[in-house]
Amino acid sequence: MSGLSISRRGLLYGASAFGASAALTACGAKTGTSTSSDAGAKADTSGSTVKVGLLNSLSGTMAISEVTVHNSLLLAVKEINAAGGVLGKKLNPVSQDGASDWPTFAEKAEALIKDDKVVATFGCWTSASRKAVKPVFERYKSLLYYPVQYEGLEESPYIFYIGATTNQQIVPALDYLKKQGLTRLYLVGSDYVFPRTANKIIKAYAEAKGMKVVGEDYAPLGSTEFGTIVNKVKGAGADAVFNTLNGDSNVAFFKEYKSAGLTAKSLPVLSVSIAEEEVKSIGTQYLEGQLTAWNYYETTPGAANKKFVAAYQAAYGKDKPTSDPMEAAYISVYLWKEMVEKAGSFDVAKVKAASDGITFDAPEGTVTVDGASQHVYKTARIGKVGSDGLIEEVWNSGKPIKPDPYLKGYSWASGLS
């Protein structure tokens, strides 16, 4: 990657390395009417089609999760095109492989904006990849629609966060564990932005709510060695494990967990990055009875979800599951379409201005865009992995929760940001 040197370690911890990714933009861009050097790349809307960027890990440790998200984006594009497109123009999807490498994500984001002149980009999974591309989208004033739950404590004028923020997933998960009397937690996560920030929030919650964190361990993203961590978990006297591992590390962790004689009954694990696709990859025999926290499951009731599941399986195979990040990716394209059509324009400023109050009858239930934060109202759901590999809901919040990415409505979270 010419002209870019960003250490992986620096990206994992946030810090100043993210600023270095802006070096990708130093060679300039085709701009709109503004004469500012930061004016933004001009999307090409002159023809009968417009390009949309799909930016996902199609290879590497995160491919286990991101390939199906990419497939869901393609499905939404196909459906929208079949219905006439957006403002009379068909969508031409341009895919780029972030390859589970954060500097590569930044490089590919710039290519989509500058070279392909996309009208919007959909993708990223890990917070490290999102933080790597954030300055690129901000520099060029181009929109990213991010589909995955994340740790909160962030807003960007050029990112729409379609997955859950903290008060729509992690906080409800902690409330659920506390209500079940599971108050002694062991924290296990991958060593990068999301797990470390999430666990900082979990520790603040625990201190305020009479819970106790009895252990905390991290493994490098992609790690397959969990013997030491599982042995520590086993001897810690925990009531439950809060799992923020990402990607195929979950395969190794849960196999080691079972080998150590730990089960959902003896020491339950609540995971926030394992959905139906990962259950299939890991193996139901390792996950049956374990808990998850999301906003959508394949089993979520409703006509919109039946239609989504049927369409996805018709396109990719009857044995293919759907999951929360897949659903959020799918609806992100539709939400963008609704914003563009309300604005009557592909212009980024006009699309942003039109976003507030946009609603969509999504597979997860009705979702509404909060234009101020560029997050989405979402219903929290706790699920349990069944013997068939599907996840059945055991609790939900009853109604969509207003996004609160900085946890301003929680006194115990003051000072976290």
Side-chain angles (χ1 to χ4, degrees), residues 149 169 272-275 292-297 324-325 379-381:
Q149 45 71 242
Q169 186 195 35
V272 292
S273 292
I274 288 179
T292 64
W294 289 106
N295 309 109
Y296 164 89
Y297 299 112
D324 182 290
T379 299
R381 292 183 163 91

Side-chain angles (χ1 to χ4, degrees), residues 1 4-14 17-18 20-22 24 55-63 66 97-110 124-136 146 190-195 220-222 246-247:
M1 292 175 291
L4 174 68
S5 175
I6 305 178
S7 73
R8 179 180 296 269
R9 191 72 173 172
L11 279 169
L12 298 184
Y13 289 99
F18 296 129
S21 66
L24 284 166
L55 182 57
N56 312 103
S57 290
L58 305 179
S59 60
T61 189
M62 290 306 302
E66 295 191 54
D97 181 10
S100 305
D101 180 73
W102 327 139
T104 298
F105 266 92
E107 179 184 18
K108 299 299 186 179
E110 187 185 33
C124 295
W125 179 296
T126 66
S127 289
S129 65
R130 188 192 69 252
K131 287 185 178 293
V133 304
K134 180 173 175 282
V136 179
Y146 177 67
S190 296
D191 194 4
Y192 76 103
V193 177
F194 165 62
L221 197 65
N246 253 291

Side-chain angles (χ1 to χ4, degrees), residues 174-187 202 205-207 209-214 237-241 268:
L174 291 168
D175 289 342
Y176 178 83
L177 291 175
K178 188 174 186 294
K179 189 174 181 180
Q180 302 304 309
L182 304 174
T183 60
R184 294 173 58 83
L185 306 180
Y186 202 108
L187 311 181
I202 291 168
Y205 176 103
E207 184 177 354
K209 300 285 187 175
M211 300 176 79
K212 185 174 179 63
V213 173
V214 298
D239 296 328
V241 176

Side-chain angles (χ1 to χ4, degrees), residues 22-151:
L24 284 166
T25 66
C27 54
K30 182 179 179 181
T31 62
T33 57
S34 172
T35 58
S36 166
S37 61
D38 292 333
K42 185 176 181 180
D44 184 0
T45 61
S46 60
S48 61
T49 65
V50 292
K51 292 179 180 178
V52 292
L54 311 185
L55 182 57
N56 312 103
S57 290
L58 305 179
S59 60
T61 189
M62 290 306 302
I64 185 177
S65 299
E66 295 191 54
V67 168
T68 54
V69 167
H70 180 260
N71 291 343
S72 297
L73 292 168
L74 288 173
L75 176 63
V77 168
K78 180 181 178 181
E79 290 179 351
I80 289 170
N81 281 342
V86 179
L87 296 184
K89 297 178 185 289
K90 296 295 179 72
L91 306 182
N92 178 12
V94 180
S95 298
Q96 290 281 10
D97 181 10
S100 305
D101 180 73
W102 327 139
T104 298
F105 266 92
E107 179 184 18
K108 299 299 186 179
E110 187 185 33
L112 286 168
I113 298 167
K114 281 186 60 185
D115 301 335
D116 296 305
K117 299 179 176 58
V118 298
V119 291
T121 300
F122 304 85
C124 295
W125 179 296
T126 66
S127 289
S129 65
R130 188 192 69 252
K131 287 185 178 293
V133 304
K134 180 173 175 282
V136 179
F137 284 95
E138 291 175 347
R139 164 100 175 157
Y140 287 113
K141 297 178 171 58
S142 186
L143 292 177
L144 169 68
Y145 288 74
Y146 177 67
V148 187
Q149 45 71 242
Y150 83 113
E151 70 283 356

